[in-house]
Amino acid sequence: MSWYYVPVGTVHPVENFNPSEDAAALRKAMKGFGTDEQAIINILCARSNYQRQQIIDTYRVELKRDLLKDLKSELSGKFEDVIVGLMMPPINYLCKQLYKAMDGIGTDEKTLIEILCSQNNEQMHAISHKYEEMYDRPLAEHVCSETSGNFRRLLTLIITGTRDSNDVVDPSLAVEQAKSLYNAGEGKWGTDESVFYKILAHASFSQLEIVFEEYKKLTGRTIEQALKAEVSGDFFEALSAIVECVQMAPHFFAKKLFLAMDGLGTDDKTLIRIIISRAEIDLQNIKDEFEQMYNKTLLSMVKDETSGDYKRVLCALIGGA
C-alpha cells in the first residue's frame, strides 16, 4: 500500500559540491575535437537537479556561455534528449512533456494519464501554474481541446486541483463513497460515470485507499474489477492509473517501464520520461518493484534494449542493480 513505503530515489545531491569545478570540467569535455560523453554522464547523473541548476548559472557567469546550448550542439539523438531533460527543473520538464503530448496532430493520451493521474493536489497546482507561464495557455483549456467525454471531465477535475489535500482520512465517509461507487456501477443497470470521476478526482490518495478497502468489504470485488466491468477506453486507463498510484505508485511506474521495453521495439519516450522524472523521487522503489514483478532487474532490461551513450546515461541514472 502506498502509504507504507518510503520513497527513495537513485540520484542524490553530491557532497562537497563545487559548481565551478563541474562547469570547467563540462566545458573541457566539449571543447576542441570530439566530445567526452562519459565525463558529461559522470558529472550530470551524479548531481541533483538543484545542483545542475547551479552548474548552469556558474557556467554562464564564469565561462560566459550557455551550458544548454553547448550540450545541444555537442550531443545528439536520445542521449541528447536525456541530458537536456536532466538540465530542466523537474516541473518544467513535466510541463514540456504534457505540451509535447498535445502539440500537433493527434494526442498522446498515455502521457497525459501517466503525468496527470500520479500527482497530488499541490504538485498539480504547481504544474498548472508553470504550464500557463511557459506556454501562455491554461493547461486545463489545452487538455479540454485535446480530449473528450468522461476522460476530459476527469482530467479537468484533476488539473483544476479539486483533490482534497488533507491527509486525514474519514472512515465513515469512505464507507459512503464505496457505496456510491457500487450504486453507480455494479449495483445498477448501466453506469453513472460522473460518480466515478468525482470521487476518484476529489478524494485525497489516503482517503481513496480506505474507499477501495471498503469497496472490497462491501462487494467482495476489487475496485479494479469494478472499473474493468463498468468503464472503458482512456477513461478506464486514467481511473486505473489513479487506483494504482493510490495503492502503490512504484508498481504503476514499474509496469509502465516494462511495457515500454517489452515486445518489439522500445518506447524510448516513456522510458526517458519516467527515469528522468522519478530519479530523485522513487526510482529505487520502482527498481525493487520491477524486480519483484518481472523477476529481472530494470538495469538488465534497459541494457538489453538500449545502446551506446544512451544506454550509459540511463544506466547511470538507474544506478547499480
Side-chain angles (χ1 to χ4, degrees), residues 135-237:
Y135 298 107
D136 204 20
R137 182 177 190 182
L139 176 59
E141 184 260 312
H142 197 175
V143 168
C144 268
S145 71
E146 296 290 330
T147 54
S148 60
N150 291 312
F151 180 52
R152 170 202 278 174
R153 289 184 197 102
L154 174 69
L155 293 189
T156 306
L157 282 176
I158 291 170
I159 293 163
T160 47
T162 50
R163 191 179 294 291
D164 188 359
S165 48
N166 185 348
D167 256 355
V168 179
V169 295
D170 182 339
S172 57
L173 176 63
V175 174
E176 290 306 310
Q177 289 168 316
K179 278 184 192 156
S180 298
L181 288 170
Y182 175 72
N183 293 335
E186 295 183 297
K188 72 191 281 277
W189 181 258
T191 309
D192 182 354
E193 287 92 352
S194 69
V195 175
F196 281 86
Y197 61 69
K198 279 176 183 156
I199 291 176
L200 269 74
H202 281 138
S204 71
F205 276 18
S206 28
Q207 178 72 15
L208 284 175
E209 191 163 34
I210 313 289
V211 174
F212 300 156
E213 283 167 18
E214 290 299 336
Y215 192 91
K216 183 114 197 279
K217 277 186 215 165
L218 177 74
T219 66
R221 283 157 68 81
T222 64
I223 190 72
E224 291 93 329
Q225 288 170 316
L227 291 176
K228 225 171 220 156
E230 296 298 323
V231 296
S232 60
D234 292 325
F235 185 48
F236 166 74
E237 296 296 340

Side-chain angles (χ1 to χ4, degrees), residues 2 212 224 237 239-253 255 293:
S2 57
F212 300 156
E224 291 93 329
E237 296 296 340
L239 291 174
S240 297
I242 294 171
V243 171
E244 284 189 59
C245 286
V246 164
Q247 292 176 337
M248 196 176 182
H251 182 96
F252 170 73
F253 288 109
K255 192 169 90 176
M293 288 165 74

Side-chain angles (χ1 to χ4, degrees), residues 260-287:
M261 296 183 280
D262 191 35
L264 271 179
T266 304
D267 176 359
D268 294 293
K269 282 197 297 194
T270 299
L271 191 58
I272 293 169
R273 185 177 59 247
I274 294 176
I275 289 174
I276 288 179
S277 63
R278 308 308 293 190
E280 285 183 60
I281 301 172
D282 57 0
L283 191 53
Q284 185 59 51
N285 309 83
I286 293 167
K287 278 164 62 176

Side-chain angles (χ1 to χ4, degrees), residues 20-84:
S20 297
E21 271 178 22
D22 286 349
L26 285 168
R27 180 72 194 116
K28 188 181 168 204
M30 294 185 278
K31 214 172 174 180
F33 189 69
T35 306
D36 184 349
E37 288 88 358
Q38 193 58 52
I40 293 171
I41 293 171
N42 292 348
I43 295 168
L44 297 179
C45 295
R47 306 290 181 270
S48 66
N49 190 278
Y50 178 69
Q51 289 176 332
R52 288 184 217 119
Q53 301 312 316
Q54 289 176 275
I55 296 169
I56 290 174
D57 292 342
T58 306
Y59 197 90
R60 186 181 60 243
V61 172
E62 293 182 6
L63 303 172
K64 306 281 185 282
R65 297 180 68 89
D66 183 327
L67 177 53
L68 222 58
K69 261 190 192 159
D70 281 357
L71 288 166
K72 282 178 180 171
S73 70
E74 293 294 329
L75 313 177
S76 62
K78 294 187 279 276
F79 177 49
E80 179 191 346
D81 293 342
V82 178
I83 294 292
V84 169

